[in-house]
Amino acid sequence: MNSLLAHVDHVIGAAGGSPLYQIGAEHLAGLIALIALPIGALILRRRGTPDLTPLQWLLVGLLAASAAIHAGLAVSNDHGDGLSVLFIVDAVLLGLVARRVLRGSPAGRLGVAVLIGSIGAYWLSALRGEAPDQVGLATKLIEILALAIVVQPASGQSRLRSVTGVVAIVIFALGTATSSWIGAFRAAAAEPGAVAGHHVHAGSVAPPGTIFPAVPPRDATPAERAAAAEIVESARIALARYADPAVAAADGYHVNGLAGIDFHAANPAYEHDDRVLDPAHPETLVYAVAPDGRPVLMGAMFLMPKIGSPGPTIGGPLTVWHAHQHVCFSLTPPALAGLLSPLGACPIGTIDVPLTPEMIHIWIVPGAPEPFGDLDEAWKRAYLQAIARRP
């Protein structure tokens, strides 16, 4: 357990993982503000408990929780004066609707307008590139549930109105998830150059599914550059034999179904042999298929033996390892199937892998702009097209 915690501290640091799966430090004040809810409940009890139905009590609790969180966010003042004012307005309006329900009146159109406005404001914020986190997502889900209670059909209402209400709630849930996806990726791309290779500079945001260590921006020393160049050249020589996928298959690499431009052929035997960054025994080979159908060995991926073991950064800032968080893994066939959604679900038939061991790629193709980072898809396609033109 200690090694796992050390690993998380090493690889996540202050800015290593996506806020989408975490609680942002600037939102902790919102959670702390929830402490006010039990205090409010005690005050209510002393004054006399209103005669409400269980569903009305649930609605009051949901509205009060969202109001408390917004009030806490306003007090923390980490979002700028403009947003702080909006948080205060939202908290006051949600509190007024909760008070209205406490007095036995329906939330009515005011409740619908306040909840829709709050949810819509979250969408706009995310679409503009504000990084969503678990506090923001949970608050919006609370408000969507409150909205579902408010718009529930009364007895005698038409079936069409009932169906319309259900469809609207589904749209709000899907819209919240979609805007959160967009916000998470836009926040990661908001500062070109902030994410370099497989590390992030302080203050920048990693994309969902990937954990980059926060690395102070600095140039590699001459010794680190030499070590990085040496490992790339060693890999290029050692892996040349695997240009033929049949040779790779004979050595235990899973090359069946080779297709696409980012095919990872794993070798399970090498994943547990305790070798670390051994150019002759990479845990995974990476292939691509050229337009003429020719398989091309692009490089290799090296994997640490277990979670909790940081990879050796022999090239300093040039060779920073990374990990993945909340990836969805299919068992039949074994393959990556996507990322955990903002609503906490993986595709049917897949499981959530919360954290992987650290890994690093080494690209051996000539002219690779980032020998240890991500190869741009456009660059890969241009390279493969050039390969296909060769006799």
Side-chain angles (χ1 to χ4, degrees):
M1 177 60 71
N2 289 336
S3 63
L4 176 58
L5 292 175
H7 172 68
V8 171
D9 180 67
H10 161 77
V11 80
I12 294 180
S18 171
L20 184 64
Y21 303 124
Q22 301 172 5
I23 295 176
E26 69 277 11
H27 289 170
L28 285 175
L31 294 181
I32 295 173
L34 289 175
I35 298 174
L37 293 185
I39 298 174
L42 288 174
I43 294 174
L44 268 179
R45 188 172 181 180
R46 289 183 177 181
R47 291 184 176 181
T49 305
D51 185 16
L52 302 178
T53 67
L55 199 58
Q56 287 175 315
W57 276 118
L58 175 59
L59 178 57
V60 170
L62 294 171
L63 292 168
S66 182
I69 291 172
H70 282 91
L73 295 178
V75 171
S76 69
N77 199 30
D78 287 335
H79 300 81
D81 293 338
L83 272 180
S84 293
V85 170
L86 291 177
F87 285 146
I88 292 174
V89 172
D90 208 355
V92 170
L93 291 175
L94 287 163
L96 288 175
V97 177
R99 182 184 180 189
R100 183 172 181 172
V101 177
L102 271 174
R103 291 182 171 181
S105 300
R109 293 180 179 177
L110 174 63
V112 172
V114 170
L115 289 168
I116 290 179
S118 183
I119 297 168
Y122 173 86
W123 290 7
L124 291 175
S125 175
L127 293 174
R128 291 176 58 187
E130 179 79 16
D133 76 336
Q134 288 294 297
V135 173
L137 271 167
T139 305
K140 294 311 117 180
L141 293 179
I142 286 173
E143 292 172 356
I144 291 171
L145 179 55
L147 183 61
I149 296 174
V150 171
V151 301
Q152 67 171 333
S155 59
Q157 286 186 337
S158 67
R159 183 183 295 263
L160 176 60
R161 186 166 182 176
S162 300
V163 172
T164 301
V166 171
V167 171
I169 295 303
V170 171
I171 289 174
F172 278 113
L174 293 177
T176 298
T178 302
S179 61
S180 297
W181 270 130
I182 295 173
F185 282 103
R186 288 201 66 177
E191 300 179 30
V195 179
H198 268 135
H199 60 278
V200 295
H201 295 161
S204 56
V205 179
T210 308
I211 297 178
F212 297 153
V215 176
R218 70 172 179 87
D219 293 330
T221 66
E224 290 170 339
R225 290 186 179 278
E230 182 179 351
I231 194 70
V232 172
E233 185 59 27
S234 297
R236 187 172 288 129
I237 295 171
L239 301 181
R241 59 196 299 264
Y242 294 133
D244 183 356
V247 176
D251 278 1
Y253 289 97
H254 294 173
V255 298
N256 291 337
L258 199 160
I261 62 172
D262 191 38
F263 184 87
H264 283 56
N267 189 328
Y270 290 168
E271 292 178 4
H272 306 287
D273 61 2
D274 292 329
R275 294 188 179 97
V276 175
L277 199 58
D278 183 348
H281 299 86
E283 286 72 24
T284 301
L285 298 174
V286 184
Y287 288 93
V289 178
D292 62 355
R294 189 185 318 178
V296 178
L297 178 63
M298 304 293 288
M301 185 182 77
F302 297 85
L303 195 69
M304 291 303 294
K306 60 182 179 179
I307 297 175
S309 300
T313 55
I314 61 172
L318 301 177
T319 56
V320 177
W321 295 57
H322 69 283
H324 290 286
Q325 63 175 168
H326 294 301
V327 292
C328 299
F329 193 78
S330 169
L331 300 178
T332 53
L336 291 177
L339 300 174
L340 188 73
S341 80
L343 300 182
C346 275
I348 295 175
T350 66
I351 59 173
D352 171 36
V353 179
L355 186 65
T356 68
E358 290 193 6
M359 60 195 73
I360 191 171
H361 289 85
I362 295 181
W363 306 109
I364 63 173
V365 289
E370 289 279 355
F372 302 97
D374 283 327
L375 279 185
D376 179 72
E377 182 175 335
W379 187 92
K380 280 196 270 191
R381 293 191 182 280
Y383 177 81
L384 293 171
Q385 288 173 355
I387 291 290
R389 289 193 293 266
R390 295 177 186 174

